[in-house]
Amino acid sequence: MAQRINRSINSRPSKGGKIKDPLAATFPLTIIAGKIARERLAAEGWQPHLFQAMVGASGGAKLLGLGHLDRFLFGDFLQRSHHPMELYGSSIGSWRHAALAAPDPAQAIETLQDRYLNQTWQENETRNLTEVVDGLCEWVMDGLLSPGTAAHITQQTRFTTHIATARGRGLNNSNNRGAVALGMACAAIANSIDRKFLAHGFQRAMFSSGASVAFEFRDFDTVHVPLSSTNLRSALLASGSIPLLMSGRRDIPGAPQGQYWDGGIIDYHFDFNNYAGDGLVLYPHFTDSITKGWFDKAIPWRRVRPEVLERLVLIAPSASYIACLPYQKIPDRGDFRRFNQDQRLQYWNQTMERSKLLAEAFDETLNAPNPLAGLVPGR
């Protein structure tokens, strides 16, 4: 049975006295490790080369909830090794992974976070919502994919990038709002009966810069598309294109013709039954549970307890940490409607600043004398 780290910061001294936040009564991170992962960590310690793959979930603004943890992982921990890794991401997860595969990962993830955080628009905006959101996403992508970056991401050999998208079928193979609304409703009903029926509305399209070894996608009809500097931008934008909010991407170069939508529709948190690797999986996540597809969010029995996944190491903000954040939550897409721009920017900046606690907590974990210190039996 897996065990989880979720301990009081008072149970051990802070490294360099860095974590001294009186609001954070307990350790800021929940770290869940499966049986095999726990055995390997115990034998070898927190070594980056243990991790064959990394997974990044959909979540939009939730990337800001990880903030400085991502900066530490991308700019420090994963740079302590040069071993090959496969990166599997959907939506904002794929954008984060593009930053990791960029020439300067530390600068790229900081730029991505800053651009996402600072999305603003005129109060008297006359364009429709889809045009506004599409334009903002293009602006964020402009910062991430500076000249020469796309070639580096798609051609380098250390990080193999896999970008999950959903290719529409039937009514969803359209950018007509009415057709997509009906197609999404039909997909939701079909998925509620059985997840496999979601394949009537969508096909998984995985854009990859190399072979997919760690994951063998057997649960859905999946088309594998070679990722190149020519289609990287379109693949990333498609992977984050929420139907009815954004316009999606059509006829991406090198891919089958059709309409491409948010990869989280099928791979919201990913289905780990598809994992076929021998190494461990690193999963910096927004929560301590896994929901396979976007339509499964409202179906409690479709959630997976990470502790049953033997090779998984999941790192997420702890419940006690989240309870101490403004509004007792990490940022999410609803904040664009929930707050005015000044309120949202203030809240998001506060959350980013506090996420330094997450990076410091993980650094403490790496340097603990016992790699499994504080683990208790999982549920």
Side-chain angles (χ1 to χ4, degrees):
M1 181 174 289
Q3 298 174 326
R4 65 174 70 205
I5 301 171
N6 192 358
R7 61 208 148 209
S8 168
I9 62 173
N10 296 320
S11 67
R12 59 180 183 171
S14 284
K15 181 185 177 185
K18 289 188 289 187
I19 299 180
K20 292 184 179 296
D21 190 332
L23 295 178
T26 56
F27 199 63
L29 289 175
T30 293
I31 302 178
I32 302 173
K35 180 178 181 294
I36 294 175
R38 196 169 65 253
E39 291 171 352
R40 297 202 63 185
L41 289 173
E44 301 182 55
W46 284 88
Q47 300 298 325
H49 71 259
L50 295 177
F51 298 100
Q52 178 181 359
M54 186 162 79
V55 172
S58 298
K62 293 176 183 176
L63 94 155
L64 302 176
L66 300 183
H68 284 272
L69 176 61
D70 267 357
R71 294 188 188 187
F72 180 77
L73 288 170
F74 292 11
D76 187 331
F77 178 63
L78 292 175
Q79 303 308 320
R80 301 178 189 181
S81 171
H82 300 287
H83 76 290
M85 285 186 70
E86 294 185 60
L87 311 178
Y88 294 84
S90 62
S91 193
I92 201 65
S94 69
W95 295 23
R96 290 164 57 220
H97 288 175
L100 175 56
D104 185 344
Q107 182 59 55
I109 188 61
E110 183 175 348
T111 299
L112 173 60
Q113 293 167 350
D114 286 347
R115 286 237 169 180
Y116 197 101
L117 189 154
N118 288 295
Q119 297 176 78
T120 57
W121 56 90
Q122 298 296 322
E123 296 292 345
N124 59 350
E125 180 63 66
T126 58
R127 294 174 297 167
N128 64 48
L129 181 60
T130 297
E131 289 179 296
V132 172
V133 177
D134 284 349
L136 289 170
C137 289
E138 294 277 5
W139 177 73
V140 174
M141 198 59 59
D142 286 342
L144 179 61
L145 297 182
S146 56
T149 301
H152 187 276
I153 292 171
T154 57
Q155 295 173 16
Q156 67 146 299
T157 57
R158 183 184 174 197
F159 294 114
T160 302
T161 299
H162 303 280
I163 302 171
T165 69
R167 178 173 175 253
R169 285 175 163 166
L171 294 169
N172 296 311
N173 187 23
S174 168
N175 54 15
N176 176 275
R177 186 176 180 84
V180 173
L182 182 57
M184 289 288 285
C186 292
I189 294 170
N191 181 80
S192 69
I193 298 170
D194 194 309
R195 178 170 150 80
K196 67 182 181 182
F197 293 150
L198 184 60
H200 293 296
F202 296 96
Q203 177 190 39
R204 178 190 285 117
M206 191 68 68
F207 289 79
S208 301
S209 64
S212 179
V213 177
F215 277 79
E216 294 179 0
F217 294 102
R218 302 178 294 265
D219 55 334
F220 276 91
D221 178 25
T222 301
V223 58
H224 292 273
V225 181
L227 185 65
S228 68
S229 57
T230 303
N231 61 21
L232 173 64
R233 184 186 183 98
S234 291
L236 289 170
L237 288 169
S239 189
S241 289
I242 302 169
L244 304 179
L245 178 64
M246 301 168 67
S247 58
R249 307 295 288 194
R250 189 160 193 88
D251 298 341
I252 298 176
Q257 290 188 341
Q259 186 75 12
Y260 288 78
W261 296 109
D262 196 309
I265 293 172
I266 297 173
D267 295 305
Y268 187 56
H269 295 167
F270 283 85
D271 183 349
F272 284 83
N273 289 323
N274 293 315
Y275 188 67
D278 296 323
L280 305 186
V281 182
L282 182 63
Y283 199 171
H285 198 16
F286 316 121
T287 179
D288 62 358
S289 66
I290 295 173
T291 302
K292 295 178 181 179
W294 189 84
F295 289 111
D296 298 325
K297 291 193 296 181
I299 308 176
W301 57 90
R302 297 273 178 91
R303 294 175 187 163
V304 177
R305 292 183 297 113
E307 46 262 49
V308 305
L309 303 171
E310 293 190 335
R311 298 180 185 273
L312 181 69
V313 177
L314 183 146
I315 308 169
S318 68
S320 59
Y321 169 84
I322 292 174
C324 294
L325 292 176
Y327 308 103
Q328 293 75 56
K329 70 177 194 66
I330 63 174
D332 60 61
R333 185 165 51 86
D335 294 340
F336 286 108
R337 300 186 305 272
R338 194 174 291 120
F339 306 111
N340 65 39
Q341 290 198 106
D342 289 341
Q343 291 171 330
R344 175 178 58 82
L345 291 172
Q346 181 182 27
Y347 161 45
W348 284 8
N349 274 297
Q350 289 173 337
T351 303
M352 275 293 300
E353 180 65 20
R354 287 183 61 80
S355 72
K356 290 178 180 177
L357 290 169
L358 303 178
E360 293 167 5
F362 188 60
D363 190 26
E364 284 195 42
T365 300
L366 299 180
N367 290 283
N370 176 5
L372 304 184
L375 270 71
V376 296
R379 294 192 297 272

